[in-house]
């Protein structure tokens, strides 16, 4: 009798335990069904954040861009800036330092070949000089032509005349730069229609660069890219070999370590930077890393470049003045 009771009690316990396990599994299934959508949403949010690669904790807080600031700029800039800030809203603090002279609505934009020639000639004059030195030489040069930059056809003739060549040289230009100006004047004078068609084309940035670098002495890839930005207003130009851009990108990556980690992980080919500097207060990243960073902001890399230039400078007043000189239709400074 006692044995039967004990056996019966054990069977009842086993049945109760089995029922408990079934109930627990059912309850777990219900809870999992309730939690799963939340988990999926969190996973998607995390994946999106990882894909952007810019939501790092070290980055500063974003600031809203006032509408009146945006309205001072051309529509193409407003659209491009919106897309940039969708990738990384924290860049807004550098945007709001001041308006961007190149993209202001009231900035005159000349589309004639003389303006393009003037910009390229000014770039040649300014090479390896400070902005003030370049302006001084340029002022002396145009004073030879009654205060106006000479037409390329006029300069092509004048620079071959020994006495006129000597006058140009005495403005402060080296013999080599006189040779470069002659090469530029010849190229424009001999290829007017072709150059006009070339500059009016779309989606041909690389072709324009190749043409200028191949046919004009003194115009290298950097000068060609700066011309694409400020002379032809192309919106997706980037120069990883520019010192200001390299420095700004170094600062950016120091604030976005997660982005740096992803760029390093996903790199396909190592391309060493050509930039060398003696100071060790900032890191020079390989050119492929800087290029990959900029691709996150394509097709607005020109705007991104100007933001990064601002990010590179500790003297904001100086960078704004240089920016204005650099993009001025009358200036043609030595760059940022």
């Amino acid at each position: 009798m006692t044995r039967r009771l004990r056996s019966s009690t054990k069977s009842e316990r086993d049945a109760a335990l089995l029922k408990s396990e079934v109930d627990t599994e059912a309850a777990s299934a219900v809870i999992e069904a309730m939690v799963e959508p939340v988990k999926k949403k969190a996973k998607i949010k995390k994946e999106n954040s990882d894909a952007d690669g810019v939501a790092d904790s070290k980055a500063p807080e974003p600031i809203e861009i006032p509408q009146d600031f945006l309205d001072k700029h051309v529509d193409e800039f407003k659209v491009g800036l919106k897309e940039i800030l969708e990738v990384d809203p924290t860049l807004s603090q550098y945007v709001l330092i001041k308006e961007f002279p190149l993209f202001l609505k009231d900035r005159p934009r000349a589309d004639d070949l003389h303006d393009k020639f003037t910009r390229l000639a000014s770039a040649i004059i300014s090479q390896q000089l400070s902005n003030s030195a370049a302006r001084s030489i340029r002022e002396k040069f145009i004073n030879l032509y009654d205060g106006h930059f000479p037409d390329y056809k006029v300069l092509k003739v004048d620079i071959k005349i020994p006495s006129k060549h000597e006058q140009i040289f005495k403005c402060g230009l080296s013999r080599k730069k006189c040779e470069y100006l002659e090469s530029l004047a010849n190229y424009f004078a001999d290829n007017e229609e072709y150059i006009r068609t070339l500059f009016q084309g779309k989606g041909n940035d690389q072709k324009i660069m190749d043409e200028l670098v191949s046919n004009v002495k003194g115009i290298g890839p950097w000068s060609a890219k700066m011309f694409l930005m400020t002379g032809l207003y192309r919106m997706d130009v980037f120069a990883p070999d520019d010192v200001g851009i390299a420095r700004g990108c170094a600062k950016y990556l120091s604030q976005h370590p997660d982005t740096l980690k992803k760029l390093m992980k996903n790199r396909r080919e190592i391309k060493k930077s050509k930039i060398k500097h003696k100071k060790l207060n900032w890191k020079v990243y390989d050119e492929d890393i800087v290029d990959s960073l900029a691709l996150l902001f394509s097709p607005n890399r020109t705007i991104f470049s100007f933001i990064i230039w601002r990010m590179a400078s500790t003297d904001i007043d100086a960078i704004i003045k240089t920016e204005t000189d650099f993009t001025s239709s009358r200036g043609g400074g030595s760059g940022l």
Side-chain angles (χ1 to χ4, degrees), residues 205 225-226 228-229 234-239 301-302 305:
D205 291 4
K225 286 180 180 180
M226 297 305 107
L228 283 169
M229 286 182 181
R234 301 299 172 94
M235 299 299 288
D236 199 30
V237 182
F238 188 72
R301 286 178 292 176
T302 297
S305 296

Side-chain angles (χ1 to χ4, degrees), residues 97-98 313-325:
I97 289 168
K98 193 171 175 58
S313 179
T314 54
D315 187 346
I316 295 302
D317 289 338
I319 200 73
I320 296 301
K321 183 179 185 306
T322 305
E323 210 173 284
T324 304
D325 290 344

Side-chain angles (χ1 to χ4, degrees), residues 5-25:
L5 282 173
R6 284 178 181 171
S7 175
S8 174
T9 303
K10 183 176 184 301
S11 298
E12 288 173 0
R13 282 202 307 268
D14 289 345
L17 181 61
L18 179 61
K19 185 176 185 302
S20 173
E21 288 175 353
V22 171
D23 289 345
T24 302
E25 287 177 4

